[in-house]
Amino acid sequence: MTYSFAVCSTEEVKPKPIPSLEYIAAKLITFSCTVQLYTLREAAMASVSLLLLSLLSLYGTAVLAEENSVDGFPSFCGSYQCPKYQVLKNYNTFELRRYDMTRWVTTQLDNDVFGFGIIKSVKRLFNYINGVNKQGVSIKMTVPVRVSVPLNDPTSNATISFFLPLTLVDPPQPNDPSVFLESYPETHYFVRSFSGYALTSNYEKKSKALSEELDYLAINYDVNVGIAAAYNDPLVFFNRHNEVWFRSLNQ
């Protein structure tokens, strides 16, 4: 079964004195315009790249250089809190990590041909961390922004999540019924990291390479969900960090 995945704008967007979210998104989409044909799995992972490239730009989550990293967190997280983990085993091109318990705020990824549904999804999460929640509490931005993509079920929707700071012991409940909280116990993930600007071909290639290596090594992993993690603003030119994850079934 094949699915057509199209992301493009049909007309140039005129500048405004104060760019709106829609204007910024349209400019990014125009720049990244592509119309291709993918299998279900390829289309799912390919759609992630434009999202991750644009959403961090919209909300100014530029990760700083390694020397400004937060104590106790991986250097590629820069000045932001991020999930803590231990590397259990290093392979040639990927590693097995044991992540501590994590909490995330999540919403369904609204995808449409022009990409404005993506902006709406991100805005729901951004509203939550900016105080639109039951307690009116503002929450510091973190990394990564995570997108979980169902790879084998066309009826399931992808989700997008913001990591919640470890210091937030009791996260406030969302006001928006389409936003929900998730808590994961200690979990093992196979992670492949790569640098540079993560465009469609990069995420697709790295995810496929990781799954093929896991298959070759006869390692049990969750083949139903692929995860992409973004850490950098597009305006960060050096020390960029991107990841693709698959959950280990042996833990």
Side-chain angles (χ1 to χ4, degrees):
M1 181 181 295
T2 58
Y3 288 78
S4 178
F5 175 69
V7 180
C8 61
S9 176
T10 57
E11 60 181 1
E12 178 67 13
V13 179
K14 295 181 180 180
K16 301 179 182 179
I18 301 177
S20 65
L21 294 179
E22 289 78 9
Y23 171 74
I24 297 172
K27 293 298 288 184
L28 285 166
I29 293 165
T30 301
F31 178 75
S32 304
C33 178
T34 178
V35 180
Q36 299 181 38
L37 193 66
Y38 297 101
T39 65
L40 173 62
R41 182 187 182 93
E42 291 167 340
M45 291 308 297
S47 64
V48 170
S49 62
L50 177 62
L51 165 69
L52 296 182
L53 186 63
S54 61
L55 63 88
L56 291 177
S57 177
L58 291 175
Y59 298 116
T61 59
V63 173
L64 305 181
E66 181 173 338
E67 59 267 26
N68 295 325
S69 61
V70 177
D71 290 342
F73 295 95
S75 60
F76 54 76
C77 294
S79 61
Y80 295 89
Q81 286 195 37
C82 61
K84 290 188 175 182
Y85 67 87
Q86 291 182 315
V87 177
L88 300 181
K89 185 173 182 179
N90 282 302
Y91 296 82
N92 288 335
T93 60
F94 65 95
E95 59 190 16
L96 174 61
R97 298 176 182 174
R98 181 179 62 210
Y99 276 89
D100 294 346
M101 187 276 290
T102 57
R103 295 185 181 91
W104 304 78
V105 58
T106 300
T107 190
Q108 178 178 304
L109 185 58
D110 299 331
N111 202 357
D112 58 39
V113 68
F114 294 109
F116 293 114
I118 290 173
I119 304 306
K120 293 178 181 178
S121 300
V122 177
K123 189 175 181 180
R124 290 197 294 269
L125 297 181
F126 191 68
N127 287 341
Y128 171 83
I129 68 171
N130 276 276
V132 185
N133 52 62
K134 296 296 185 183
Q135 298 178 22
V137 175
S138 294
I139 302 168
K140 289 184 178 180
M141 187 64 194
T142 59
V143 292
V145 175
R146 187 190 70 179
V147 174
S148 299
V149 184
L151 300 178
N152 300 312
D153 184 0
T155 65
S156 297
N157 294 309
T159 60
I160 180 169
S161 306
F162 286 1
F163 172 65
L164 293 175
L166 300 174
T167 52
L168 191 64
V169 178
D170 186 18
Q173 291 297 316
N175 288 341
D176 189 335
S178 64
V179 175
F180 55 95
L181 301 177
E182 292 185 298
S183 179
Y184 290 90
E186 180 182 285
T187 309
H188 296 184
Y189 289 100
F190 296 103
V191 179
R192 182 170 181 138
S193 305
F194 58 104
S195 59
Y197 282 90
L199 301 176
T200 296
S201 58
N202 302 113
Y203 275 107
E204 182 183 329
K205 183 185 300 182
K206 300 302 182 182
S207 180
K208 182 179 179 182
L210 177 55
S211 64
E212 289 179 346
E213 289 178 279
L214 293 172
D215 290 339
Y216 177 78
L217 295 172
I219 294 176
N220 291 324
Y221 67 100
D222 186 355
V223 300
N224 296 310
V225 178
I227 298 173
Y231 291 81
N232 302 103
D233 186 303
L235 298 181
V236 174
F237 299 106
F238 304 103
N239 299 322
R240 296 187 62 82
H241 188 84
N242 321 283
E243 295 175 346
V244 290
W245 303 358
F246 284 107
R247 184 174 63 88
S248 170
L249 296 181
N250 295 328
Q251 60 184 87

